[in-house]
Amino acid sequence: MDKKIALITIHGMGDTERDYYTGFYDQIKNALGEELWHKVIFKPLYYQDILQGQQELVLGRMRDQVDWIKLRRFLLYGFSDAASLEYKKRVKNSPYYLTQKMIMAAMDEIFDESGTRPIPVVVVANSLGCQVISSYIWDAQRIDASVGIWSMQRDDEVAEGSPRDRFRRMISLKQFYTLGCNIPIFVAGHKNIEAIKAPTEDFKWYNFYDKDDVLGWPLQPLSPSYEELVEDIQINAGRGLFSKLFKSWNPLSHGQYWQDKKVISHISSNIKQIIKQ
């Protein structure tokens, strides 16, 4: 019952390891110290296993007929992640539905671990994960949701409007961090571009992007609602001399956000403030 905050991470596109969060985890834990870290429920989300089996099957069918296997693997995993998660949103057991089901289950686990209290939530999302979690929140905020898990009958007997239902819908989301966010890729063709609504009165959305990262974008220019809700923060993503010399100034910067010193400092400082409130 001494948990004060939930910290959720979600990864981006591509062939992602289940322990993608370890460097970020270690640095945040060290920045907070043992006493404050003890008050945090840490929940890393992982959706790659929903997609990976079929991706491996397809790559296996092609392997003997093509060259540049490593590059093709990168492109196949990355772009098929994005395409698959946007396909058949209205169909039960589609990747879109199963990913949202996974997120909902994680929210239930946090709610139970907190003693069924709606503790403040901080979400840190990278790359495609920004679109995934934003879509989950967007759908959860729709009374008449037409896609995803919120549009379908659920047999878990959780009453709409109950504390658990509200927590599932991210109503206690205090801060949303997007790192190398590619939401613009998914909404650029839409005439009306709208951001999610602020779940809480003091909600903050911080979007970190590197101008050399072609997959990471600022969000404020998208529309008036994004301009009002989001604070864009430009950084030179990377940590250490190797990253600065070989990755921070080019598209490889897309993989450097998790351990960037400015990102870690910003997140850990705000978590401390929330815990001490």
Side-chain angles (χ1 to χ4, degrees), residues 101-149:
K101 184 179 180 181
M102 177 272 296
I103 297 170
M104 179 182 287
M107 295 302 292
D108 279 347
E109 291 172 2
I110 293 169
F111 191 68
D112 291 336
E113 190 174 344
S114 70
T116 63
R117 295 176 298 122
I119 60 174
V121 173
V122 173
V123 171
V124 184
N126 176 234
S127 182
L128 178 60
C130 304
Q131 170 71 5
V132 170
I133 201 73
S134 178
S135 294
Y136 176 89
I137 298 168
W138 175 275
D139 293 345
Q141 291 180 339
R142 309 271 82 75
I143 296 176
D144 56 346
S146 60
V147 299
I149 199 166

Side-chain angles (χ1 to χ4, degrees), residues 11-14 47 78-79 81-82 85-86 125-134 178-188 205 207-209 213-219 222 226 254 257:
H11 63 86
M13 65 177 64
Y47 59 84
F79 289 103
D81 279 359
L85 288 169
E86 290 294 304
N126 176 234
S127 182
L128 178 60
C130 304
Q131 170 71 5
V132 170
I133 201 73
S134 178
T178 46
L179 316 176
C181 180
N182 44 40
I183 286 177
I185 294 174
F186 295 90
V187 302
W205 183 343
N207 178 55
F208 285 85
Y209 75 100
D213 174 16
V214 296
L215 293 173
W217 296 75
L219 297 179
L222 279 175
Y226 273 98
H254 189 65
Y257 293 94

Side-chain angles (χ1 to χ4, degrees), residues 228-264:
E228 181 179 354
L229 189 63
V230 182
E231 178 181 344
D232 284 327
I233 303 174
Q234 183 181 323
I235 62 171
N236 186 21
R239 180 174 181 266
L241 181 60
F242 178 82
S243 292
K244 296 301 182 186
L245 289 177
F246 297 104
K247 297 181 179 180
S248 66
W249 53 273
N250 61 45
L252 291 175
S253 59
H254 189 65
Q256 299 300 299
Y257 293 94
W258 283 117
Q259 298 189 59
D260 184 84
K261 290 182 177 180
K262 289 184 179 179
V263 171
I264 297 296

Side-chain angles (χ1 to χ4, degrees), residues 171-191:
I171 56 88
S172 59
L173 179 60
K174 288 279 189 177
Q175 295 184 358
F176 185 22
Y177 285 88
T178 46
L179 316 176
C181 180
N182 44 40
I183 286 177
I185 294 174
F186 295 90
V187 302
H190 298 179
K191 185 175 182 180

Side-chain angles (χ1 to χ4, degrees), residues 260-274:
D260 184 84
K261 290 182 177 180
K262 289 184 179 179
V263 171
I264 297 296
S265 176
H266 200 288
I267 295 173
S268 59
S269 294
N270 281 338
I271 289 176
K272 289 177 182 178
Q273 291 179 10
I274 294 173

Side-chain angles (χ1 to χ4, degrees), residues 197-217:
K197 299 183 185 302
T200 53
E201 290 185 0
D202 54 352
F203 172 76
K204 299 291 185 182
W205 183 343
Y206 302 104
N207 178 55
F208 285 85
Y209 75 100
D210 187 318
K211 65 180 181 180
D212 294 312
D213 174 16
V214 296
L215 293 173
W217 296 75

Side-chain angles (χ1 to χ4, degrees), residues 50-88:
I50 295 172
L51 307 164
Q52 190 165 353
Q54 186 61 30
Q55 290 168 336
E56 286 286 356
L57 181 62
V58 170
L59 184 63
R61 292 170 179 168
M62 308 290 182
R63 186 181 295 275
D64 295 335
Q65 303 179 48
V66 295
D67 292 325
W68 299 93
I69 291 297
K70 288 185 178 180
L71 178 58
R72 286 179 183 275
R73 181 185 182 90
F74 171 77
L75 294 174
L76 178 68
Y77 273 70
F79 289 103
S80 71
D81 279 359
S84 298
L85 288 169
E86 290 294 304
Y87 183 60
K88 292 188 176 181

